């Protein structure tokens, strides 16, 4: 049986290697399997939970579409659309926010991280964003949701919301409880400057991440400057527990070469970091540079990108409108 796949990516500027290895690479494989129905959403409603420049946002939406396509997602095989063009997402989020409990949301670690010390100043949207994410998924009866490890808690919340809705309104299995698809070993790519921090677009230093728009020289330079430790390459997996930067680079190498971490360790055991870094930089540049070039090329054809979105919006509306109408009936509207 094929899977119904739904996932989303925020259009908040440069997508990076973490987004690619943690999520988009998996989208491509799932989309290539003809048995699956895939829906990939550019979650612009999520993006405005923190301040965005309107002009830049519009372009970032296109850039996210370009990144999907440049990474290998065939828009003819699935649906690519932007969230704000399908009103059911906002409507669904409101209704589900009356089902979700404060106590559940208070546990969300990403809100705590993103809001930082001054959570009184965070937007309400940033706090309730996992409910919008639940609406995204549940409107499409998704069976599987491919994400990186940082979204796992939000998916658990989505499952709880679906179950509570079904129980409260006595509609068994009406909202489909989705399964997360998280690639164990490669689900969390860390900063190139600090192996204990997630690679992210919000980190100040550009040297901390490989952007999917970086060119070959930038990629090679960033790997050269990536933090390591003074020891030779690790001998076994146990060593990685206290050598976080070495672990992260080996994770990246293994994911790129479709290898296991154990095998990558065997290949470079006892060698110097410089030799490993050269191989890693070459692999990365070979993989990312063509994507980067293709993103830039696609961005020159705004009309093409807008057409893909329009087509996706039309298809997504058909599915989501049906579901939201049923939800409204069930609630008593
Ligand atoms: P976002 O836009 O922050 O990230 C998009 C995807 O990239 C993954 N990711 C990573 N994976 C590994 N290592 C990293 N360093 C890394 N950084 C990001 C994320 O886990 C994600 O899969 N709330 C979501 C978007 C969303 C969504 C949804 C996802 C909205 N609605 C419905 C799935 C289903 C987010 O902000 O992802």
């Amino acid at each position: 049986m094929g899977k119904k796949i739904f996932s989303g990516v925020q259009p908040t500027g440069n997508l990076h290697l973490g987004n690619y290895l943690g999520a988009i690479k998996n989208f491509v494989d799932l989309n290539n399997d003809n048995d699956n129905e895939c829906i990939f959403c550019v979650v612009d409603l999520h993006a405005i939970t923190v301040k965005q420049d309107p002009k830049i946002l519009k372009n970032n939406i296109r850039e996210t579409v370009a990144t999907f396509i440049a990474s290998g997602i065939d828009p003819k095989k699935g649906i690519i659309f932007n969230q704000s063009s399908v009103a059911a997402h906002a409507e669904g989020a409101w209704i589900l926010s009356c089902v979700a409990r404060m106590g559940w949301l208070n546990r969300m670690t990403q809100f705590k991280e993103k809001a930082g010390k001054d959570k009184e100043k965070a937007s309400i949207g940033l706090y309730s964003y996992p409910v919008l994410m639940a609406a995204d998924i549940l409107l499409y009866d998704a069976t599987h949701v491919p994400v990186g490890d940082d979204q796992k808690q939000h998916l658990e919340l989505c499952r709880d919301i679906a179950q509570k809705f079904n129980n409260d309104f006595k509609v068994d299995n009406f909202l489909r409880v989705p399964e997360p698809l998280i690639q164990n070993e490669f689900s969390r790519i860390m900063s190139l400057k600090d192996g204990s921090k997630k690679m992210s677009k919000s980190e100040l230093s550009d040297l901390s991440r490989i952007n999917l728009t970086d060119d070959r020289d930038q990629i090679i330079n960033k790997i050269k400057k990536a933090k390591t430790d003074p020891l030779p390459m690790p001998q076994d997996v146990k060593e990685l527990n206290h050598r976080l930067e070495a672990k992260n680079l080996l994770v990246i190498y293994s994911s790129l070469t479709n290898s296991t971490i154990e095998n990558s360790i065997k290949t470079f055991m006892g060698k110097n970091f410089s030799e490993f870094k050269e191989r890693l930089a070459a692999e990365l540049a070979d993989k990312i540079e063509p994507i980067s070039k293709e993103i830039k090329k696609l961005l020159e054809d705004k009309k093409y990108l807008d057409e893909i979105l329009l087509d996706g919006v039309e298809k997504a509306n058909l599915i989501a409108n049906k579901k939201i109408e049923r939800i409204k009936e069930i609630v008593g509207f």
Side-chain angles (χ1 to χ4, degrees), residues 259-274:
S259 164
T260 60
I261 301 200
E262 286 80 2
N263 271 336
S264 303
I265 289 178
K266 267 191 214 138
T267 311
F268 296 102
M269 201 154 60
K271 295 199 166 123
N272 289 329
F273 267 103
S274 56

Side-chain angles (χ1 to χ4, degrees), residues 98-199:
C98 300
V99 174
R101 304 289 93 179
M102 290 282 286
W104 300 356
L105 279 155
N106 285 340
R107 285 199 288 273
M108 296 297 115
T109 53
Q110 195 177 80
F111 174 74
K112 290 178 196 157
E113 278 163 24
K114 284 199 177 173
K117 283 195 205 90
D118 204 357
K119 71 173 195 281
E120 298 289 314
K121 284 206 177 130
S123 72
I124 293 170
L126 188 68
Y127 177 73
S128 64
Y129 125 147
V131 182
L132 174 60
M133 178 163 162
D136 298 343
I137 297 166
L138 299 174
L139 280 172
Y140 298 87
D141 295 320
T143 60
H144 294 83
V145 182
V147 282
D149 180 65
D150 61 324
Q151 297 298 325
K152 194 171 164 192
Q153 200 184 28
H154 295 161
L155 272 180
E156 279 157 13
L157 180 87
C158 170
R159 292 167 56 90
D160 289 344
I161 293 175
Q163 269 154 353
K164 182 160 164 45
F165 183 96
N166 292 343
N167 287 339
D168 286 358
F169 295 99
K170 302 195 173 47
V171 281
D172 253 9
N173 298 321
F174 168 71
L175 290 182
R176 173 108 202 196
V177 180
E179 296 295 329
L181 280 181
I182 297 175
Q183 315 171 72
N184 295 335
E185 285 184 318
F186 312 126
S187 63
R188 189 171 272 254
I189 304 298
M190 311 310 276
S191 156
L192 298 179
K193 288 286 165 199
D194 179 350
S196 67
K197 263 183 138 171
K198 197 178 73 170
M199 183 178 285

